Amino acid sequence: MKIGIIGSGNVGGALGKRWAALGHQVLFSTRRPDSEEMKTLVASAGPRARATTAAETVAASDILLLATPWPVTREMVESLGELNNKILIDATNPLLPNLAGLEFANTSSGAEQVAQWAKGARVVKAFNTIGDNIMEQTTFGEISPVLFYCGDDKEAKQTAHQLAAELGFDPQNAGPLTQARVLEPFALLWISLAVKQGFGRDIAFQLLKR
Ligand SMILES: NC(=O)c1ccc[n+]([C@@H]2O[C@H](COP(=O)([O-])OP(=O)(O)OC[C@H]3O[C@@H](n4cnc5c(N)ncnc54)[C@H](OP(=O)(O)O)[C@@H]3O)[C@@H](O)[C@H]2O)c1
């Protein structure tokens, strides 16, 4: 697949690096292609990855991973222009400063806002509920961490499912995009356990079935 990373930081860097290692073409969109940090990221991602502008990333990719800090997300997404039916995987969380909560709850979600801003894109919410360190290293012995996703487009969801499974997650369809109203607070649970309750960042959730 041709994957463009919009926001090549902790999350975008971890996912892009792993997808490139799995054989996907990965473009890292960045404002600072010549920085040491970006050169290190591209070098560690291998020959299928490159850093470039947002415009080239969008033009050359079929799938976009959105992983920007929430305060700059609207401006970034609107600057991408017409997205021509591309799949946009939204990993953002509309966090308030100091992790005090979410900008939206119950009646809307960041993902629904992103879907309004991303002209012509098929938006799926995924990769927002666990830390970037878990994306980088998904294994917990024999157990695969669950990765919930939601959206209104079947193909977009299948793509997110496949990309999550390739990384070693147990991907689970959580329903339509409005379910982001549940998945974004679920991210707050991971954050509060990891950061405030003393569990540390090496934690993930598992879905049990019978
Ligand atoms: N970190 C996690 O564990 C985690 C887990 C799940 C979800 N999330 C969510 O994923 C999103 C990204 O988190 P992150 O920790 O990866 O963020 P990050 O590393 O702080 O930032 C991501 C990238 O966004 C770009 N960026 C920053 N400010 C910008 C601006 N003013 N204009 C344009 N681009 C800007 C930067 O890329 P350049 O400087 O290269 O342009 C930066 O590397 C957030 O919404 C977060 O809530 C985070």
Side-chain angles (χ1 to χ4, degrees), residues 133-168:
N133 57 311
I134 307 298
M135 302 174 198
E136 190 126 26
Q137 166 60 276
T138 45
T139 50
F140 286 78
E142 299 295 305
I143 298 169
S144 297
V146 69
L147 195 286
F148 292 110
Y149 58 87
C150 66
D152 297 331
D153 184 275
K154 195 175 169 192
E155 194 192 350
K157 292 211 286 191
Q158 283 168 346
T159 301
H161 185 112
Q162 183 185 334
L163 286 171
E166 287 180 14
L167 297 179

Side-chain angles (χ1 to χ4, degrees), residues 6-13 28-33 35 37-38 66-73 75-76 90-95 99 125-135 187 190-191 201:
I6 307 295
S8 306
N10 300 314
V11 170
F28 290 109
S29 160
T30 177
R31 299 165 298 171
R32 45 189 181 103
S35 68
E37 206 180 347
M38 196 52 60
L66 180 65
T68 44
W70 182 252
V72 306
T73 295
E75 189 186 349
M76 173 57 89
D90 172 27
T92 66
N93 282 310
L95 293 172
L99 308 177
K125 184 97 204 175
F127 301 106
N128 70 304
T129 54
I130 28 80
D132 60 271
N133 57 311
I134 307 298
M135 302 174 198
W190 187 93
I191 292 168
R201 291 173 58 86

